[in-house]
Amino acid sequence: MKIISISDMAISTIENEDKIKLMILKEKWKELFLDLAEISTVIGFSEKVIYIKSYDSVLKHYIFTNKQKLIDRIMENLEIKFKIEDIKIKS
């Protein structure tokens, strides 16, 4: 019988649950991008894609053109690492 620590179980659960990742991403979005978070919000995370809700066309363009920079900044600031491949904007 293998003994597993509680932290390993928590990390495993987070790595396998998109709903938990969504909650983490919502908080990181507010924390890292204060100016963007005023006019946008994270509404979903599924299959390594973050879904953002915004009606501001300038913000949509900014996110589209700086997608990789935003992903990299989020990834750098995650305590528990998980894969993010894309950001998509829904209006």
Side-chain angles (χ1 to χ4, degrees):
M1 180 176 181
K2 183 178 177 183
I3 298 176
I4 300 173
S5 72
I6 293 174
S7 65
D8 289 343
M9 289 188 325
I11 290 170
S12 175
T13 301
I14 291 169
E15 289 173 346
N16 295 315
E17 289 291 329
D18 283 346
K19 287 183 181 181
I20 296 173
K21 292 175 189 174
L22 172 61
M23 292 178 355
I24 292 168
L25 290 171
K26 281 184 177 186
E27 290 305 311
K28 283 297 175 186
W29 187 258
K30 291 176 193 173
E31 177 185 318
L32 297 173
F33 309 110
L34 295 173
D35 51 336
L36 300 180
E38 292 178 4
I39 54 176
S40 66
T41 185
V42 175
I43 59 168
F45 182 77
S46 178
E47 298 178 10
K48 302 176 188 171
V49 177
I50 300 172
Y51 294 94
I52 305 288
K53 176 91 167 180
S54 177
Y55 294 106
D56 188 312
S57 60
V58 174
L59 177 64
K60 290 177 187 180
H61 178 73
Y62 176 81
I63 291 172
F64 182 76
T65 57
N66 294 290
K67 200 179 285 192
Q68 193 57 51
K69 288 180 187 176
L70 297 171
I71 291 171
D72 292 343
R73 185 158 179 211
I74 293 169
M75 295 290 292
E76 289 172 1
N77 289 284
L78 289 175
E79 290 82 17
I80 297 174
K81 304 297 181 195
F82 52 87
K83 189 74 174 158
I84 300 170
E85 293 180 354
D86 198 9
I87 297 176
K88 294 192 177 182
I89 304 147
K90 294 193 173 200
S91 51

